[in-house]
Amino acid sequence: MLNLVQTEFLKLRRRKFIWLMLLGALFMPLVAILYFGTSNTSEISPMQFYKWTAFSYTMWIILPLVLGMLCTMLMYDENQNDMLKQLWIIPVSRMGYIFSKFAVVLLYSICFMLFTAVSSIFAGVIPGIIVLTRDSVSFLLIKCLEIGLLIPFAIIPILAVAASQKGYILPVCVTIVYTFFGFVLLMVKMYLHPLSSTTAIIMRNIDGVILNEAISIGKSFLCIGIWGIASIIWAKIALGNRK
C-alpha cells in the first residue's frame, strides 16, 4: 500500500497543473482583502475574516472542485492508455489501487487547507485588517485541518466516477454538478449529500452560523459513510470489469 502511495506521488512530480491548483487557496483571502479593505478594521474580528477566507466558498466550492479535478487527473492517464491491464497482472489489488488514489487526494486536501490558513493569516495581518490572537490562529488551523480531512471523504463518489470512465469530460461535468448540488442542499436537505453533510459537521462550532436544519453529527457521518461505501464498491466493480 505504501509503495502504491509513493508511486502516485512520484507520478505527480511531472504534473505542474497539480501545483498550480494550489493557487486556488489564495482566491478567497484575496477577495476578503478587497471586501474588508474599505471597512472600519476596528469592527472586524478574526473570526469574521476567516469566515470569508476559509470557512465559506473555499470549503463549499473551491476545494471540492479542485479535489474533483485531482481525482480525474489521477485516473485519466492509466484509464486512457489501458495501463490497468498491466497493474492487474503484477498484481495490484483493486482496493489497494483505489485507496492509494484516495490517500493522495487526502494529503493534497490537507496541504491545500493549510495553505489557505497561512494565506488567510497573511491576508488579514499585512493590510492591518485583523489583529492576531493565539485563540483565533489555533481555531483557524484546527478548523482548516478538519476541513482538509473531511472533504476528501465527501469526494469519494467523484473518485468512483473517474475510476469507471476512460475519458475526463464526464468526471469533470459530474464534479461541477456534484459540487453545485452540495452547495444548494446545504440550505434544503443537508443530510442527502456528502458535501453538505460534511459542511454541517464543520459548521457545528463556528459562531454566527445559522442553518435551516439542526446539526446532527450522526446523520452527517451516516450520509458520508453510505455514499462512500457505495462508491468504493461501485469503483471496485467497475475496475474489475475492465479487461
Side-chain angles (χ1 to χ4, degrees):
M1 182 65 188
L2 289 177
N3 289 335
L4 287 174
V5 175
Q6 183 182 18
T7 303
E8 293 296 334
F9 278 104
L10 289 175
K11 288 190 291 186
L12 290 182
R13 290 186 305 175
R14 298 191 294 270
R15 292 177 174 273
K16 294 180 181 179
F17 191 69
I18 295 285
W19 307 112
L20 288 176
M21 288 196 302
L22 281 175
L23 296 178
L26 299 175
F27 182 75
M28 285 310 295
L30 291 175
V31 171
I33 291 175
L34 296 175
Y35 182 78
F36 290 108
T38 57
S39 304
N40 184 355
T41 56
S42 62
E43 298 177 354
I44 302 171
S45 67
M47 186 56 63
Q48 188 178 357
F49 187 76
Y50 297 149
K51 283 179 185 175
W52 266 82
T53 59
F55 304 151
S56 59
Y57 293 103
T58 298
M59 172 180 63
W60 297 335
I61 296 176
I62 297 175
L63 180 60
L65 285 177
V66 166
L67 296 185
M69 301 295 176
L70 177 61
C71 291
T72 303
M73 294 172 68
L74 290 174
M75 292 289 186
Y76 176 70
D77 282 346
E78 288 157 5
N79 284 337
Q80 186 69 17
N81 299 320
D82 282 335
M83 292 175 63
L84 293 179
K85 295 176 183 176
Q86 301 172 31
L87 292 177
W88 304 155
I89 292 172
I90 289 175
V92 173
S93 72
R94 271 74 167 174
M95 294 299 285
Y97 176 78
I98 296 169
F99 283 119
S100 66
K101 304 287 186 184
F102 177 74
V104 174
V105 175
L106 180 64
L107 291 174
Y108 188 89
S109 175
I110 293 171
C111 292
F112 187 96
M113 287 311 301
L114 289 178
F115 190 33
T116 298
V118 173
S119 58
S120 298
I121 292 171
F122 280 110
V125 173
I126 292 177
I129 298 174
I130 59 172
V131 177
L132 284 186
T133 62
R134 180 184 298 176
D135 289 343
S136 68
V137 172
S138 61
F139 185 81
L140 174 67
L141 291 174
I142 291 171
K143 219 54 182 168
C144 283
L145 273 176
E146 191 176 320
I147 296 169
L149 282 169
L150 288 176
I151 294 292
F153 287 93
I155 294 295
I156 290 176
I158 302 296
L159 187 65
V161 173
S164 66
Q165 300 293 317
K166 277 195 171 185
Y168 64 87
I169 295 178
L170 180 61
V172 169
C173 292
V174 170
T175 297
I176 295 171
V177 174
Y178 183 80
T179 302
F180 174 76
F181 274 105
F183 178 68
V184 171
L185 290 175
L186 178 62
M187 290 299 175
V188 184
K189 282 289 182 183
M190 68 174 74
Y191 302 117
L192 293 179
H193 197 292
L195 279 176
S196 52
S197 294
T198 303
T199 301
I201 297 172
I202 294 164
M203 291 291 189
R204 71 189 186 283
N205 57 352
I206 296 180
D207 292 337
V209 175
I210 300 174
L211 299 174
N212 287 348
E213 293 182 68
I215 294 177
S216 169
I217 303 299
K219 288 182 180 178
S220 298
F221 277 114
L222 181 64
C223 172
I224 297 168
I226 290 174
W227 277 82
I229 292 171
S231 300
I232 289 174
I233 293 172
W234 177 35
K236 184 183 178 185
I237 294 172
L239 291 173
N241 292 334
R242 196 76 56 78
K243 302 296 182 184

